[in-house]
Amino acid sequence: NATNSDSDRKALQAEVSQLSAEIDRVAKQTNFNGQKILDGSFAGAVFQVGANSGDNVTLGALADTRASQLSTTSYAATNSVVDLASITDISTSIPVDPATATAADFASITVGTAPNATVVTLETIKAAQNPQERLGQVVTAINNKTADTGVTAYLTKIEGTETYKVELMSGKLDANGVPVAVTLSANFSAAATGIDKADFDMAGGTAAATSVINDKGIEQIDVTTQAGAWVALKKIDSAVDQVNGARATLGAVQTRFENAVNNIDIQVENLSAARGRIMDADFAKETANLSRTQILQQAGTAMVSQANQIPQNVLQLLQK
């Protein structure tokens, strides 16, 4: 951010470096049952979730979250050095009369290649008071079309000189994840910008001037420059997406484990109920049997008692 001074950016870089080192430490030291799981060496694990052979849940490999492997980004970058002495036409608006100007009178940027190329016309560049203002106007015109081109320009003064470093970063990707070609159109000239295109060859003006970068890891994040911070944001976004994807996978597997546990609990409950029906006494039935047995026992006792009284009665009669 332009509100940060050089010392601010150095302090921010110190914090970023420490955070990156901590991410790397966590990735290399986190383990489960003695096995590292976040450093790319974890190939998967099989967990038994049932009583039979093959009743298992398999967890695949997890994301490699080491600082050198976390995040993958692709972008195009180029830079040029502009000498203020090369900026000649600053006193007039370009185009001079926008109302009567044709498309060829406006500076433009071509995004993509034929037959799918898109030409993005820059806005009118007003008259400037000095070369620095004109240079800033052109950079502003480019950045005002970032939403259409995917291109962002950064302007840095080279200390002790009258030159400026112009860095242009393009993050627009095609369907294959390759940065889209971005070129300065033929009308991006001194007549349309006040700056000689040869001294302002940026935005991927030629294949030789543009580097397509496939960058991996967050250990080299550099926020000491605005262009470096642009790359850092892309890397961090990619890293967050990668971690979120791994977390989603783990969350889905965890839900599957929870369902497996619930299913096992239901099986245990059903098995206990079946065993109870086989082994446990029917309390109502056995109570009835007890009552029946007690009644029969009492009746038998009464009958024996009465049977014992009959001989006694006979003896009493004989005695008389």
Side-chain angles (χ1 to χ4, degrees):
N1 195 321
T3 59
N4 294 322
S5 65
D6 288 342
S7 59
D8 292 336
R9 291 174 184 167
K10 289 178 181 178
L12 289 170
Q13 179 61 41
E15 183 176 3
V16 167
S17 298
Q18 289 298 322
L19 291 173
S20 176
E22 177 62 13
I23 289 173
D24 197 53
R25 184 194 68 79
V26 170
K28 291 178 179 178
Q29 294 185 0
T30 301
N31 69 84
F32 174 77
N33 283 345
Q35 183 176 6
K36 300 293 180 62
I37 58 177
L38 296 178
D39 65 349
S41 63
F42 180 76
V46 179
F47 298 91
Q48 187 74 20
V49 295
N52 301 315
S53 175
D55 291 346
N56 54 55
V57 172
T58 302
L59 173 64
L62 300 178
D64 186 346
T65 59
R66 290 174 296 171
S68 61
Q69 301 299 314
L70 189 60
S71 157
T72 301
T73 55
S74 296
Y75 56 92
T78 187
N79 64 78
S80 61
V81 175
V82 179
D83 190 337
L84 294 180
S86 67
I87 303 177
T88 56
D89 185 4
I90 63 173
S91 60
T92 57
S93 175
I94 303 173
V96 177
D97 185 2
T100 60
T102 64
D105 296 319
F106 289 88
S108 62
I109 295 176
T110 301
V111 181
T113 56
N116 299 316
T118 301
V119 178
V120 179
T121 302
L122 304 186
E123 62 190 20
T124 300
I125 300 175
K126 297 181 180 179
Q129 300 297 318
N130 51 57
Q132 291 94 329
E133 183 180 356
R134 175 49 55 87
L135 181 58
Q137 287 175 331
V138 174
V139 170
T140 299
I142 292 172
N143 288 343
N144 285 344
K145 298 296 182 178
T146 296
D148 299 319
T149 63
V151 175
T152 304
Y154 294 102
L155 186 62
T156 306
K157 189 176 190 304
I158 299 176
E159 295 297 330
T161 69
E162 287 300 313
T163 59
Y164 284 78
K165 182 180 180 180
V166 180
E167 297 175 277
L168 198 116
M169 321 296 293
S170 175
K172 202 176 193 69
L173 306 178
D174 61 18
N176 297 319
V178 178
V180 174
V182 179
T183 57
L184 303 179
S185 300
N187 56 358
F188 199 105
S189 59
T193 64
I195 303 174
D196 188 349
K197 180 180 177 181
D199 294 327
F200 200 62
D201 191 10
M202 63 176 196
T206 64
T210 304
S211 298
V212 175
I213 300 172
N214 296 310
D215 207 346
K216 194 176 190 66
I218 59 172
E219 61 182 351
Q220 300 299 327
I221 282 181
D222 179 15
V223 297
T224 57
T225 65
Q226 288 182 306
W230 181 91
V231 175
L233 286 173
K234 288 187 68 66
K235 287 186 174 184
I236 292 171
D237 285 341
S238 175
V240 169
D241 289 341
Q242 189 172 337
V243 171
N244 284 344
R247 292 179 64 186
T249 299
L250 288 175
V253 173
Q254 181 176 352
T255 300
R256 187 177 176 186
F257 275 126
E258 291 173 353
N259 290 332
V261 170
N262 291 337
N263 186 44
I264 292 172
D265 288 341
I266 293 172
Q267 291 179 9
V268 170
E269 182 179 348
N270 291 339
L271 183 61
S272 298
R275 183 179 184 277
R277 284 192 295 270
I278 296 171
M279 301 294 295
D280 297 345
D282 187 332
F283 187 82
K285 180 179 178 181
E286 297 304 324
T287 301
N289 289 336
L290 176 62
S291 299
R292 176 177 175 274
T293 302
Q294 288 176 336
I295 292 171
L296 291 174
Q297 184 180 17
Q298 292 171 2
T301 301
M303 291 176 66
V304 170
S305 176
Q306 290 178 3
N308 289 335
Q309 288 179 355
I310 292 174
Q312 295 296 328
N313 290 337
V314 172
L315 289 175
Q316 289 177 359
L317 289 173
L318 293 174
Q319 289 175 355
K320 293 179 179 181

